[in-house]
Amino acid sequence: MIKYVLRRLLQMIPVFIGVTMLLFLLRAPGVLPGDPIRMITGERAIPDALRVEIEEKYHFNDPLPVQYGYYLSDLVHGDLGDSLQKGRPVTDIFADKYPNTIKLALVAIVIEVIIGVGAGIVSAVKQYSFWDVLVTLSTSILVSMPVFWLGMLFQIFFGIKFKQWGLPYLPISGMGNPPDLVHLILPGVTLASVSTAYAARIMRSQMLEVMSQDYIRTALAKGLSWSTVVRRHALKNALIPVVTFMGIDLGAMLSGAILTETVFNWPGVGLEIFLAIGQRDWPVVMGGVVVVVIAVMFVNLLVDMSYAFLDPRIRYGSGTE
Amino acid sequence: MTKSTNDPQGTNLDPKDASGHAVRDLYSPLPVAPLEEHDVSGPTRTLWRDAWRRLRKNKLAMAGLVWVALVISITLSADLWVPDAFGDPEAIDTATAAQNYLLPPSADHPFGTDKLARDVFARVVYGARISLSVGIIAVFISIAIGLIMGALAGYYGGLADVLVMRLADVFLAFPYVLFAVALIAVLGPGYINVFIAIGVLGWPTIARVFRSSILSVKENEYIDAARAMGASDARIIFRHILPNAIAPILVYGTMATGGAILTEAALSFLGMGVQPPTPSWGLMLSDAKALMQRAPWMMIYPGAAILTTVLSFVLMGDGLRDALDVKMKD
């Protein structure tokens, strides 16, 4: 168990180096077309003295590996530069916003687990029934839908139209003041929608695959009831890939929320990055990407570790990957 | 695409033996009817014809195919009729703009007009050009990079394998839209950069598919035979190994085209993609956001265009996967 955790930690190191190196190369001078100093100062013209000062500060005249060393050291010390518009350190800005993003992600994950897994199981157990067709069709539609469009449809329908018809309507923007749970409903459902559809599809195909295995037939043959076999034998094994997906998805929600948060003006990390794009505030954009990527890697690591609890084969170190 | 995989030269499309009998597989009943009545009617069994026959029975996949064909033909012929009938998708007619802005759908403007008095239908039609071209070109870029990387990893193995697969892990660790945002933040927003960004990000999946299919056939004797005959590595990889991997790559490519269209819409919605006045579905939705209550038609139609087009690719991908019997992780 400890060996497995340690090995996962070690495997993360090259990925971490690769990810940071890629982000570093994106704004290193001379690697891609585009002026790295523009990325720091914004669009306005700057005096040569300031240009030299920035080149000094960011070590743009050193060899690339040395620059990368400085970059990594800044990163480890939590220094992502300052916002052009707000003059605040990028790290502080995102520290303020992250709790909101996490709140939204947790709501979405709960919806995904209950509806996605539930629909997948029903769909597989009652294959080719009305419910199966319904789930298959609606998941195909959901995965083809732009998230931000779905959010806007919700806003028109449950916000604007319900209000016009004199029905109880839902808030469509912001967190409320003071923040309340009602404001979480529409953005939460929107953020959960696509993932719920994927979770249902994966759950369905996994259940179908597991149900065709020999040991399921054996369990039925020895006289266990259908529902016992589904619950005790099939479900557990079918769940592992779904957990994998959800872990990756939780990571993605910490970032993919950029679209949902933009539509619902939800004051999280994604909205902050979106606003920074509009203001050409590149340190916030790039800093936000770095913060999110590191958060995603961390969540993925936690998910990998959770397998050790779910799957005894991993715990005892035989079936490794 | 009509070649069979066990017939790399493609010479045997209509197989007959020396005496002119159609060659059938062993499980079909022997022909009892006279030859001339028989040889046209019996379907030739090749992988692609079998797959096509199965695909044709899949109503949803065929609906997707028809829809995409329709969208493509409308888009390609758009220059001939759309501007005349509905107005220019980009230019603003200053003389009439004051009366014609934000008109609800009517006979003259089936999808209504936007806040600059441009016809929404014309913009949706021209938006299809951006979406489809980004989708298709981006996926071709992904496939090109993915095939080269996959070949490096699978065929040469060793250090190349480790490096390429680690790099793929790095790319997959990135949240997709955010990485595209970062890349475009550096390259600058714009049409070309959107498909470069989407294309560059899509390669790891293709590389993995190709790598595993190389690994599964690399030790076969026909590869040794090709090498003994002096074929170069490139020829072995692309002439003798690649045909084994075409089915999964086709399935993946179809699905990825839908994904690329969604990503383009998302990037344009965020202001990191196609820039105004060029009509793009994502950009139209971001214009519509502020006018949602006043002019809902501005957001309904571009969104419906994205949904139906992407859904068509997803259904075609599903259909191809079943028809070609490709095993895939969802």
Side-chain angles (χ1 to χ4, degrees), chain A residues 14-15 18-19 22-23 26 32-34 38-39 140-141 143-146 148-149 152-153 155-156 160 164 201-202 255 258-259 262-263 273-274 277 280 282 285-286 289 292-293 296-297, chain B residues 60 166 169-171 173-175 177-179 181-183 185-187 189 262 265-266 269-272 275 282 285 288-289 292-293 296 299-300 303-304 306-307 310-311 314-315 318 330:
Chain A
V15 175
V19 165
L22 216 57
L23 285 170
L26 277 180
L32 287 172
R38 182 187 67 97
M39 301 283 300
S140 301
I141 291 174
V143 301
S144 311
M145 199 181 263
F148 47 97
W149 189 58
M152 287 156 84
L153 291 177
Q155 286 179 323
I156 285 204
I160 297 167
Q164 282 171 4
R201 288 181 144 214
I202 297 171
S255 66
I258 187 169
L259 295 164
T262 301
V263 171
I273 295 176
F274 169 73
I277 293 170
R280 303 284 183 252
W282 300 124
V285 177
M286 294 306 273
V289 174
V292 168
V293 165
V296 169
M297 281 170 54
Chain B
L60 287 173
R166 284 290 145 234
D169 286 347
V170 168
F171 271 80
F174 269 100
V177 172
L178 265 201
F179 193 10
V181 164
L183 200 57
V186 180
L187 295 173
L262 278 180
F269 179 75
L270 294 173
M272 297 297 276
Q275 298 293 304
L285 286 177
K289 183 173 177 273
M292 199 156 51
Q293 198 161 359
M299 89 171 236
I300 301 288
I306 302 177
L307 170 64
V310 175
L311 183 60
V314 169
L315 294 176
D318 276 347
D330 216 331

Side-chain angles (χ1 to χ4, degrees), chain A residues 89-283:
Chain A
V90 171
T91 327
D92 287 3
I93 296 177
F94 285 110
D96 283 355
K97 302 292 179 188
Y98 237 106
N100 296 338
T101 294
I102 292 173
K103 212 197 255 178
L104 193 58
L106 288 179
V107 171
I109 283 285
V110 170
I111 297 174
E112 185 183 338
V113 170
I114 297 173
I115 300 183
V117 173
I121 295 173
V122 172
S123 182
V125 172
K126 304 210 178 296
Q127 204 187 358
Y128 304 125
S129 70
F130 167 75
W131 293 109
D132 184 26
V133 174
L134 183 75
V135 168
T136 312
L137 263 180
S138 56
T139 55
S140 301
I141 291 174
L142 276 178
V143 301
S144 311
M145 199 181 263
V147 166
F148 47 97
W149 189 58
L150 182 65
M152 287 156 84
L153 291 177
F154 281 157
Q155 286 179 323
I156 285 204
F157 196 69
F158 294 109
I160 297 167
K161 289 291 172 198
F162 269 41
K163 195 174 176 182
Q164 282 171 4
W165 297 334
L167 293 168
Y169 57 94
L170 287 168
I172 58 173
S173 177
M175 300 179 67
N177 190 20
D180 56 35
L181 290 176
V182 188
H183 279 79
L184 269 166
I185 298 176
L186 286 185
V189 171
T190 306
L191 182 58
S193 61
V194 177
S195 321
T196 306
Y198 274 113
R201 288 181 144 214
I202 297 171
M203 190 71 217
R204 177 179 184 274
S205 66
Q206 284 302 321
M207 275 300 269
L208 288 178
E209 192 172 324
V210 170
M211 295 299 287
S212 68
Q213 301 280 321
D214 287 345
Y215 69 85
I216 296 292
R217 207 166 12 151
T218 309
L220 286 171
K222 76 181 182 190
L224 291 178
S225 75
W226 174 249
S227 70
T228 312
V229 173
V230 170
R231 265 185 296 120
R232 308 252 343 224
H233 295 256
L235 203 54
K236 248 184 178 169
N237 282 308
L239 263 176
I240 293 173
V242 183
V243 172
T244 312
F245 166 75
M246 286 188 178
I248 293 170
D249 195 50
L250 180 63
M253 277 180 184
L254 299 177
S255 66
I258 187 169
L259 295 164
T260 306
E261 288 182 2
T262 301
V263 171
F264 289 97
N265 284 315
W266 185 263
V269 177
L271 182 63
E272 195 61 33
I273 295 176
F274 169 73
L275 294 175
I277 293 170
Q279 295 166 340
R280 303 284 183 252
D281 194 343
W282 300 124

Side-chain angles (χ1 to χ4, degrees), chain A residues 50 58 221 250 288:
Chain A
L50 183 57
Y58 288 87
L250 180 63

Side-chain angles (χ1 to χ4, degrees), chain B residues 241-255:
Chain B
I241 299 180
L242 186 58
N244 296 291
I246 283 181
I249 288 172
L250 188 68
V251 173
Y252 173 81
T254 312
M255 301 228 180

